[in-house]
Amino acid sequence: MSNEWDLFISHASEDKDFVKPLEEKLTNAGFKVWYDEHILTLGDSLVQKINEGLAKSKFGIVILSPNFFAKNWPQLELDGLFSFETAGEKKILPIRHNIEAESIRRNRTLLAGNLDVKSILGKHDVNSDLGRVLSKGQERRKYVFG
């Protein structure tokens, strides 16, 4: 199965103030982003649409926050992303937002080994880190995040 999306963004709806500008920057950089506000429409099956998005995305950006850990849906999305990761091939790109690494270790021990980027460093740093991962082999996108 070929990937239809470059990125799936998993987040709690309460964090849209951070997520929306990030999604816009990624979209403007030419990435095809699975983002709930653009994909889900009235009458859609949430389970079906989310499963399709997870399965057909090359990477999953996971916005880890207190809101994320307080809700079931985002954690189910993270479980789905874990199921698609294979040895040596990363799929999960975690971003810490308003949460410390120790809180993440307490909530999701398996994420403790994943290098993340902290949103408080500023959107430029987040964009730069994401840009390095996403631009590998995609020269036309490499400098958009600079």
Side-chain angles (χ1 to χ4, degrees):
M1 162 183 12
S2 67
N3 291 339
E4 184 176 331
W5 307 97
D6 296 314
L7 302 162
F8 180 99
I9 300 181
S10 176
H11 67 288
S13 57
E14 292 83 357
D15 295 325
K16 285 200 184 287
D17 62 326
F18 171 75
V19 176
K20 182 72 174 154
L22 177 64
E23 179 272 331
E24 289 172 355
K25 178 113 178 154
L26 291 165
T27 299
N28 290 337
F31 293 99
K32 191 165 182 191
V33 180
W34 193 105
Y35 180 58
D36 60 354
E37 287 185 1
H38 300 304
I39 304 299
L40 300 175
T41 58
L42 184 64
D44 281 346
S45 165
L46 290 175
V47 172
Q48 179 184 355
K49 288 289 192 174
I50 290 171
N51 280 338
E52 286 175 9
L54 292 170
K56 295 181 178 182
S57 294
K58 184 174 181 182
F59 294 104
I61 294 176
V62 182
I63 310 301
L64 302 169
S65 71
N67 296 318
F68 179 93
F69 290 113
K71 299 184 113 177
N72 287 331
W73 273 109
Q75 293 188 66
L76 289 171
E77 293 169 355
L78 178 59
D79 290 342
L81 288 168
F82 269 123
S83 75
F84 289 112
E85 273 198 340
T86 58
E89 185 178 340
K90 75 174 104 178
K91 178 123 177 157
I92 299 170
L93 306 176
I95 297 175
R96 284 188 288 136
H97 182 61
N98 299 328
I99 193 168
E100 295 302 319
E102 183 55 37
S103 293
I104 293 170
R105 279 190 280 283
R106 279 195 307 271
N107 284 290
R108 294 300 284 246
T109 305
L110 289 176
L111 281 174
N114 288 47
L115 183 62
D116 59 25
V117 63
K118 191 173 181 182
S119 70
I120 199 165
L121 295 174
K123 289 185 177 93
H124 175 74
D125 295 322
V126 170
N127 291 335
S128 179
D129 283 346
L130 285 175
R132 280 196 301 273
V133 172
L134 300 175
S135 65
K136 290 182 180 177
Q138 300 177 22
E139 211 54 41
R140 69 181 183 86
R141 297 177 183 166
K142 185 172 185 177
Y143 300 103
V144 176
F145 290 91

